[in-house]
């Protein structure tokens, strides 16, 4: 509470990132009794997603998506510009958050806060991609690394918000698969047709549907 003194709930932010296997189907399902069911290869294609939220339940800025390719072929589609405008996109060979990406992300957030004439406090965990050098680096963001066992009030993303986002994304993936299911075609094969641009569109929609209250 002392760390947050002088800040309204809307100006107390938390940011967290998580891996998302965007082509992966549920590991369990249903089958008719007596009928053989076939599995498929489990997709290991992963993006990193990240979000900013405030303690009053507000979503701050756009979702962050990190994928291995700087300019995937699917980005040449006519719909790409509109889809990409809904998120902040970065590339990394392993699709991981890196210090450089983190710095750029906070630069963008700081510019947003300057335009809105707001000063905020941002709680980050002690991951290696959140270096101490971020402290006091930005004019309108006060970066703080909270002590261990911090309450969910300071870390609302860890309190189920990211899980809710992934659940909503998975529902969109499942609808895509179900509407294209045919005899002798594995669901995993259909899921493999999803490219990262389609995943980004679903990420943006899923994040809109998430309630952070």
């Amino acid at each position: 509470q002392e760390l947050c003194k002088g800040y309204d709930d809307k100006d107390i932010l938390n940011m967290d990132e998580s891996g998302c296997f965007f082509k992966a189907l549920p590991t369990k399902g249903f089958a008719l009794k007596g009928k053989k069911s076939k599995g498929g290869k489990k997709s290991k294609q992963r993006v990193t997603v990240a979000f900013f939220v405030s303690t009053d339940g507000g979503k701050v800025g756009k979702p962050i998506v990190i994928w291995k390719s700087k300019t995937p072929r699917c980005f040449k589609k006519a719909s790409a510009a509109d889809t990409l405008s809904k998120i902040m996109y970065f590339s990394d060979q392993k699709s991981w958050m890196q210090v450089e990406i983190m710095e750029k992300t906070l630069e963008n957030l700081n510019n947003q806060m300057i335009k809105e004439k707001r000063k905020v406090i941002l709680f980050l965990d002690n991951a290696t991609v959140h270096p101490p050098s971020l402290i006091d680096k930005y004019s309108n963001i006060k970066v703080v690394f909270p002590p261990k066992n911090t309450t969910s009030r300071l870390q609302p993303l860890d309190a189920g918000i990211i899980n809710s986002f992934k659940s909503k994304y998975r529902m969109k993936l499942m609808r895509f698969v179900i509407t294209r299911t045919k005899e002798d075609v594995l669901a995993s094969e259909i899921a493999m047709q999803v490219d990262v641009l389609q995943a980004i569109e679903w990420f943006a929609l899923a994040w809109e549907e998430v309630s952070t209250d």
Side-chain angles (χ1 to χ4, degrees), residues 80-116:
D82 180 62
T83 298
L84 293 173
S85 70
K86 301 173 184 177
I87 57 101
M88 291 175 58
Y89 181 81
F90 298 96
S91 62
D92 173 71
Q93 289 183 344
K94 295 184 178 180
S95 303
W96 290 345
M97 175 65 79
Q98 301 292 351
V99 173
E100 295 80 7
I101 297 176
M102 189 69 207
E103 290 175 338
K104 182 62 177 178
T105 297
L106 294 189
E107 285 175 13
N108 292 338
L109 178 64
N110 192 60
N111 290 335
Q112 178 184 340
M113 295 300 100
I114 291 172
K115 290 179 181 178
E116 296 178 7

Side-chain angles (χ1 to χ4, degrees), residues 187-206:
S188 58
E189 293 176 356
I190 299 173
M192 289 300 291
Q193 299 171 16
V194 175
D195 58 35
V196 71
L197 185 67
Q198 179 63 76
I200 287 173
E201 178 68 26
W202 290 338
F203 289 152
L205 291 172

Side-chain angles (χ1 to χ4, degrees), residues 23-26 38-45 186-192:
K23 297 186 181 186
L25 297 171
K38 297 187 294 182
K41 292 183 179 180
K42 184 176 180 180
S43 173
K44 296 182 180 180
Q45 295 193 57
L186 297 178
S188 58
E189 293 176 356
I190 299 173
M192 289 300 291

Side-chain angles (χ1 to χ4, degrees), residues 139-173:
S139 62
N140 287 46
I141 304 173
K142 179 181 179 181
V143 175
V144 173
F145 297 97
K148 294 180 179 180
N149 302 318
T150 306
T151 65
S152 60
R153 182 176 183 275
L154 298 182
Q155 296 176 307
L157 284 165
D158 291 336
I161 292 177
I162 287 181
N163 284 339
S164 176
F165 160 79
K166 288 183 177 180
S167 176
K168 293 180 182 300
Y169 172 83
R170 203 68 63 205
M171 286 293 293
K172 298 180 188 306
L173 174 61

